[in-house]
Amino acid sequence: MKKNKVLSLFLALIMVVICAFSGVCEAVAVQGGSNIAQNQGASSVKLSNGKVGSTSKAKGIKSGNYMYYSIENKIYKVNVKTKKSTVIYKGKANEQFYGLTVKDGWIYCTKEKLRNDSDIFTYVFKVKTDGKSAKVLKKGWQPTVYKGNIYYIKQRFDDKTSEKYVYVETLGIYKMSLSGKNDKAIKKASIVEEFIVYKSKIYYTTFGSSTGDFCLYSIPITGGKAKIMIRSDEHFITNLMAYSDYIYFNWDNDQESYNLYKIKTNSTKKIRVASKIDLNCISNGYIYYTTKKGRKDDLYKIKISNNKKTKIKINEEITDELYVEGGYMILEIDYNKPGSKYNAALYLCDTNGKNGKVINTFYAY
């Protein structure tokens, strides 16, 4: 179900030309992807934000005994002990939610709204964990909560017009208060692919529509001059995650041959970590990743301290995203129960792949 990320980037460039351009454990949040990639519709499930068709994680999706996730227009919580899911918020039929971050009794996420089967609008959205006090804060997406502020990719569009096609403009990385006030630009940019916040700095990627360059930058959360860390005219950079003063990322030009790299937060020298792996999450000293084996994904974890690799075996066929936190993980798996109208499911288990159970089923595109 994963989309080819190279294709997504080229689709993004094409859409710009025709004027239809529409979180990890030590990091505060990892979410992201190209502005077009979120509209590809790879799956109706959003474990923790970012774009559809790519791995994107957000710290705080687990709170107490609950993990939070969304499927289509519903936000759920699941008790990690009993594995019982409960709907806590239901949006309109043309809405979807993703990029969930939980902080102090609030869920912050992206609300995606489909209009006229053609326009897709995204908003920074918040709702209490009991489903009350839902509110749209700003036009944009990828909200990242850090030190009392929300950092996000700001967009501008007219969602009131009756025109069939609406131009959506990306303005850059902005911050606002948790209530949606004091909106301020951190970095103005027309194309931001993804970003993370880590130790008072923002790390973000761009794709130059005129130059064809893929770049990784760092900038203080207060704004100022951005520093370029990596520039490539061939390989794209995706799946940004921060851990122990390193930025980890996939770097290549083909999803089937992703290579994992890391770069020191104060360096410009990238270090190769492993070959042909798709980075999914970093949690409690382990890197979780998948490798493609036909249609199926094999799941592994690497202990960062000694590079020991372990295959995580579960009795299900992993097909897409996974999210790890607090000793638990949620995965997307095939669902082939006879007579069911659904073809995919979410599966909750521990980080060794044990004690698992299907917690929700849905139809994946």
Side-chain angles (χ1 to χ4, degrees), residues 101-108 126-129 132-134:
T101 298
V102 181
K103 180 70 174 178
D104 297 331
W106 286 89
I107 299 170
Y108 301 86
K126 73 173 186 177
V127 63
K128 286 185 177 180
T129 51
K132 298 179 180 180
S133 304

Side-chain angles (χ1 to χ4, degrees), residues 221-282:
I221 59 171
T222 53
K225 186 176 181 180
K227 176 184 176 182
I228 190 165
M229 300 174 70
I230 299 174
R231 172 180 281 138
S232 173
D233 60 0
E234 180 181 1
H235 301 297
F236 62 87
I237 304 161
T238 189
N239 293 342
L240 296 181
M241 299 184 187
Y243 193 88
S244 190
D245 293 334
Y246 280 95
I247 306 300
Y248 289 80
F249 56 93
N250 280 131
W251 192 71
D252 216 317
N253 57 5
D254 184 352
Q255 185 181 1
E256 298 302 320
S257 60
Y258 272 173
N259 295 311
L260 177 62
Y261 284 81
K262 67 179 181 180
I263 185 170
K264 198 77 172 177
T265 52
N266 60 356
S267 175
T268 58
K269 182 180 179 181
K270 62 182 182 297
I271 302 168
R272 190 178 181 124
V273 178
S275 301
K276 296 185 177 181
I277 71 173
D278 193 357
L279 177 62
N280 278 267
C281 192
I282 302 177

Side-chain angles (χ1 to χ4, degrees), residues 129-191:
T129 51
D130 62 4
K132 298 179 180 180
S133 304
K135 183 181 180 180
V136 167
L137 299 179
K138 287 289 184 294
K139 295 175 181 178
W141 64 300
Q142 196 182 323
T144 299
V145 180
Y146 184 76
K147 291 187 176 180
N149 288 295
I150 301 172
Y151 295 81
Y152 72 106
I153 298 175
K154 187 178 182 69
Q155 293 182 323
R156 179 164 53 204
F157 50 83
D158 183 358
D159 53 3
K160 304 299 183 183
T161 182
S162 59
E163 295 292 328
K164 185 175 181 180
Y165 298 106
V166 177
Y167 175 63
V168 178
E169 180 183 6
T170 296
L171 302 179
I173 301 172
Y174 280 63
K175 78 169 182 178
M176 60 180 161
S177 68
L178 297 180
S179 64
K181 298 179 180 179
N182 304 319
D183 199 39
K184 179 183 177 182
I186 301 299
K187 177 61 181 179
K188 293 183 178 181
S190 60
I191 299 179

Side-chain angles (χ1 to χ4, degrees), residues 334-346:
D334 259 349
Y335 188 74
N336 298 312
K337 189 174 181 179
S340 173
K341 63 180 180 180
Y342 304 112
N343 62 0
L346 293 187

